């Protein structure tokens, strides 16, 4: 029973099957002993962190966010439009946005803001007008389904081909999306073509 529980936990964490194979078999005389996670370190590139570290703190003033992005030498903003009961948002947060390599890359290149498409919190849009999160999502960006990842340039305009609706297949695809924008490939081709060329 303990062995089955441990194997399930290890597999759900995505550890290599070789690490699972090293777990000694349980016998009536000797209880099963799990290999500690520290004995099988994950590569630094895929270390798991708190997903909150992916997002920057915000006062919901998009003009101010742009100024901060410029001052910090970022390429623009990434807005994640989400809502509480969204299973695809949850999947992105628990399998992609909590990875250290994703967080480090996106934090280096963008200010990352979360907007609740059902939120009533006050927000100042890129034109300096006061609105709410839900009106900003719907009226300014026509967001109806979540998640939506919208890249915004330093002038407050959406990047050409800089919008992805839905969850990415995996962390590698989300990393590729960021590189597609930072390398300005979005100006030459759609993301699907860029992916096929990689």
């Amino acid at each position: 029973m303990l062995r089955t529980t441990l194997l399930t936990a290890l597999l759900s964490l995505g550890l290599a099957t070789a690490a699972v194979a090293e777990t000694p078999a349980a016998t009536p005389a000797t209880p099963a002993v799990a290999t500690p996670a520290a004995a099988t370190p994950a590569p630094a590139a895929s270390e798991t962190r708190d997903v909150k570290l992916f997002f920057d703190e915000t006062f919901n003033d998009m003009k101010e966010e742009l100024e901060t992005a410029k001052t910090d030498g970022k390429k623009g903003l990434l807005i994640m439009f989400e809502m509480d009961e969204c299973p695809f948002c949850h999947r992105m947060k628990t399998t992609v946005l909590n990875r250290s390599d994703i967080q480090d890359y996106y934090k280096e290149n963008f200010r990352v803001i979360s907007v609740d498409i059902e939120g009533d919190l006050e927000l100042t849009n890129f034109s300096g007008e006061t609105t709410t999160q839900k009106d900003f999502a719907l009226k300014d960006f026509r967001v109806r389904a979540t998640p939506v990842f919208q890249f915004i340039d330093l002038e407050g305009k959406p990047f050409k081909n800089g919008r992805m609706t839905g969850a990415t297949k995996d962390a590698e695809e989300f990393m590729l999306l960021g590189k597609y924008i930072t390398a300005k490939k979005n100006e030459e081709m759609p993301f699907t073509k860029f992916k096929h060329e990689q």
Side-chain angles (χ1 to χ4, degrees):
M1 173 76 175
L2 178 60
R3 178 177 169 80
T4 304
T5 304
L6 290 171
L7 289 176
T8 303
L10 287 172
L11 289 174
S12 70
L13 291 173
L15 297 175
T17 54
V20 174
E22 293 173 13
T23 306
T27 63
T30 9
V33 178
T35 305
T40 316
S46 63
E47 175 186 308
T48 301
R49 294 181 183 155
D50 187 333
V51 71
K52 292 176 185 172
L53 297 174
F54 179 72
F55 300 98
D56 289 297
E57 288 188 35
T58 180
F59 292 107
N60 287 321
D61 184 332
M62 295 301 141
K63 289 179 75 72
E64 185 179 293
E65 293 300 339
L66 285 176
E67 290 307 313
T68 303
K70 288 176 189 173
T71 302
D72 293 348
K74 309 290 183 183
K75 293 179 174 47
L77 303 180
L78 170 60
I79 301 174
M80 178 182 177
F81 291 100
E82 61 172 321
M83 61 182 171
D84 286 341
E85 299 302 318
C86 167
F88 300 106
C89 302
H90 178 73
R91 182 166 72 80
M92 286 297 292
K93 287 180 173 183
T94 57
T95 64
V96 177
L97 307 182
N98 63 345
R99 286 180 40 152
S100 59
D101 55 337
I102 296 291
Q103 290 182 0
D104 292 346
Y105 184 80
Y106 275 84
K107 290 291 234 181
E108 180 182 338
N109 292 289
F110 304 99
R111 276 198 61 81
V112 184
I113 309 300
S114 170
V115 173
D116 180 354
I117 71 163
E118 296 177 331
D120 290 318
L121 286 177
E122 191 175 278
L123 180 145
T124 303
N125 68 16
F126 293 110
S127 302
E129 300 162 344
T130 301
T131 183
T132 61
Q133 286 183 328
K134 66 182 171 190
D135 285 345
F136 175 71
L138 184 62
K139 293 177 182 174
D140 291 24
F141 289 95
R142 289 179 273 150
V143 175
R144 290 180 174 84
T146 54
V148 169
F149 296 95
Q150 178 68 64
F151 291 89
I152 304 291
D153 69 20
L154 293 173
E155 303 306 314
K157 305 292 183 202
F159 276 98
K160 179 179 181 180
N161 296 316
R163 178 175 174 141
M164 173 174 268
T165 301
T168 57
K169 179 179 72 174
D170 53 27
E172 288 67 32
E173 184 178 31
F174 193 69
M175 181 68 85
L176 203 57
L177 177 64
K179 292 179 178 180
Y180 166 72
I181 299 293
T182 58
K184 299 184 178 181
K185 295 296 184 181
N186 60 299
E187 296 172 5
E188 303 168 18
M189 66 186 82
F191 182 55
T192 49
K193 183 176 181 188
F194 176 74
K195 281 193 302 184
H196 287 29
E197 290 185 358
Q198 301 310 302

